């Protein structure tokens, strides 16, 4: 399939026995590294405009952009998690963190990085940073979380439904409701039809939608949930990044990652540069890439490693 504005050649890495992860590695090998971590139900396609805007040396400083597709997402393999599946994958936050660590180790990325995150990518990226904090030198944050849901935030009914192991599984895996719905409801500026098709293309069958529903079911809401210790630890240490250069781009029409989440980031990272948009939604880089991409590039160039 031809993915609009995605002129890249994805690479593949066997992240676990029999399971391949697709990823982008764009830009000069000696460029400052920017690691971009997507969430659910998107894939590396979400970051395409930023990759193009940072990796091309003709635009100025050329940055090396590392962008994985999580297992089960995008162009990566989509293994089952049944007890007898071969290969088998455990769709948990810890698995995502371990996969990111394995990819960066495979690429020899052991020096300073800029961590860019969106949606569940915040929990994955900051989860990875719990043991690699010394590498994180700049932050780019877009509509995400790195801590449990704020106490003042009500649980959106769409998330509660998606976590249901009967109804949620049927609606998301049977009808692709989450990926398809997000491509409509996650933006304020309607996606062109070919862009919308690119977002949902990887999730074209019951089998290939396993990760979109497992991500939902793994959302930590209380200490009873297995992802809770990881997210709680990331939240407790978020203030430790306060001295780092940080850029926050936020769509205020996001019904999940709304002002409650933005306010927490601003409180923990008081020196962050913030661009918040009243007319942008969850996929803020879709609604505002013409503004955000040059702003992020300017931020990086003003704060060199």
């Amino acid at each position: 399939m031809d993915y609009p504005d995605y002129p890249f050649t994805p690479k593949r890495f066997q992240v676990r026995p029999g399971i391949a992860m697709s990823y982008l590695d764009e830009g000069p090998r000696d460029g400052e590294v920017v690691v971009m971590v997507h969430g659910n139900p998107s894939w590396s396609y979400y970051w395409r405009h930023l990759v193009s805007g940072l990796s091309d040396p003709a635009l100025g400083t050329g940055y090396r952009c590392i962008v994985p597709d999580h297992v089960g997402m995008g162009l990566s393999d989509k293994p089952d998690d049944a007890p007898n599946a071969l290969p088998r994958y455990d769709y948990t936050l810890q698995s995502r963190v371990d996969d990111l660590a394995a990819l960066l180790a495979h690429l020899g990325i052991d020096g300073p990085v800029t961590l860019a995150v969106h949606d569940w990518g915040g929990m994955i990226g900051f989860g990875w940073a719990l043991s690699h904090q010394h590498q994180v030198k700049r932050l780019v944050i877009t509509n995400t979380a790195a801590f449990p849901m704020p106490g003042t935030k009500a649980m959106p009914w769409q998330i509660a439904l998606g976590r249901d192991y009967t109804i949620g599984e049927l609606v998301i895996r049977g009808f692709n409701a989450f990926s398809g719905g997000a491509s409509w409801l996650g933006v304020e500026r309607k996606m062109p039809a070919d862009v919308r098709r690119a977002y949902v293309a990887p999730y074209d069958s019951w089998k290939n939608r396993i990760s979109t529903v497992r991500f939902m079911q793994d959302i930590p809401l209380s200490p009873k949930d297995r992802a809770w210790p990881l997210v709680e630890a990331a939240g407790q240490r978020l203030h430790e990044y306060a001295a780092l250069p940080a850029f926050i781009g936020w769509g205020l029409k996001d019904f999940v990652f709304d002002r409650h989440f933005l306010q927490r980031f601003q409180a923990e990272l008081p020196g962050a540069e913030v661009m918040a948009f009243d007319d942008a939604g969850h996929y803020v880089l879709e609604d505002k890439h013409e503004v955000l991409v040059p702003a992020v590039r300017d931020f990086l160039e003003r704060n060199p490693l």
Side-chain angles (χ1 to χ4, degrees):
M1 180 175 173
D2 179 36
Y3 302 111
D5 304 316
Y6 194 82
F8 317 116
T9 302
K11 298 175 170 58
R12 291 178 74 78
F13 161 59
Q14 185 166 281
V15 68
R16 294 166 186 261
I19 299 175
M21 168 182 275
S22 179
Y23 68 95
L24 303 180
D25 187 352
E26 299 288 328
R29 302 303 86 181
D30 61 349
E32 296 178 0
V33 175
V34 182
V35 178
M36 305 181 192
V37 192
H38 74 81
N40 181 38
S42 62
W43 52 291
S44 57
Y45 190 71
Y46 169 79
W47 295 107
R48 68 194 184 282
H49 293 298
L50 190 59
V51 174
S52 294
L54 296 183
S55 61
D56 187 354
L59 299 176
T61 302
Y63 297 89
R64 183 179 180 184
C65 300
I66 310 293
V67 196
D69 285 345
H70 305 307
V71 172
M73 312 293 286
L75 306 182
S76 291
D77 288 352
K78 300 174 179 65
D80 201 351
D81 61 353
N84 61 346
L86 287 175
R88 181 184 183 278
Y89 185 78
D90 195 17
Y91 287 92
T92 65
L93 178 56
Q94 187 63 60
S95 294
R96 308 308 193 172
V97 171
D98 293 343
D99 292 347
L100 180 58
L103 174 64
L104 296 180
H106 168 71
L107 296 175
I109 306 298
D110 55 7
V113 305
T114 299
L115 182 62
V117 294
H118 177 251
D119 189 85
W120 259 82
M123 300 180 194
I124 297 166
F126 281 96
W128 167 81
L130 286 172
S131 55
H132 296 81
Q133 188 171 344
H134 62 285
Q135 290 184 247
V136 180
K137 301 301 181 184
R138 292 178 299 207
L139 297 170
V140 176
I141 295 168
T142 69
N143 288 72
T144 187
F147 40 79
M149 185 174 293
T152 54
K153 166 72 176 173
M155 165 65 72
W157 68 264
Q158 297 93 333
I159 302 300
L161 179 65
R163 284 170 55 83
D164 185 283
Y165 275 77
T166 301
I167 299 175
E169 187 107 2
L170 175 63
V171 171
I172 293 174
R173 296 190 73 176
F175 299 97
N176 206 20
F178 192 39
S179 177
S183 67
W184 289 102
L185 302 176
V187 291
E188 291 298 299
R189 181 172 64 180
K190 184 179 178 181
M191 287 185 187
D194 55 351
V195 171
R196 183 173 180 273
R197 285 194 295 270
Y199 264 99
V200 304
Y203 315 114
D204 59 355
S205 68
W206 176 279
K207 173 183 180 294
N208 288 342
R209 294 168 192 151
I210 184 171
S211 190
T212 60
V213 72
R214 293 294 183 262
F215 254 122
M216 297 277 280
Q217 292 164 346
D218 197 41
I219 294 172
L221 298 179
S222 78
K224 295 184 296 183
D225 296 315
R226 56 187 174 176
W228 181 270
L230 197 56
V231 175
E232 184 180 45
Q236 289 171 344
R237 290 176 53 181
L238 185 58
H239 70 277
E240 296 175 11
Y241 300 89
L244 296 185
F247 179 93
I248 300 175
W250 209 270
L252 294 171
K253 291 293 180 65
D254 189 335
F255 68 85
V256 177
F257 298 103
D258 58 11
R259 293 178 185 270
H260 297 87
F261 289 88
L262 173 59
Q263 288 165 0
R264 172 73 185 269
F265 276 113
Q266 289 180 289
E268 301 277 6
L269 308 172
E273 300 180 25
V274 180
M275 295 185 72
F277 304 94
D278 289 317
D279 56 346
H282 179 63
Y283 289 142
V284 65
L285 274 173
E286 291 299 326
D287 283 330
K288 295 294 178 179
H289 65 86
E290 297 94 340
V291 178
L292 282 173
V293 171
V296 171
R297 168 175 276 281
D298 176 67
F299 162 75
L300 297 178
E301 292 181 349
R302 286 187 286 105
N303 297 278
L305 297 181

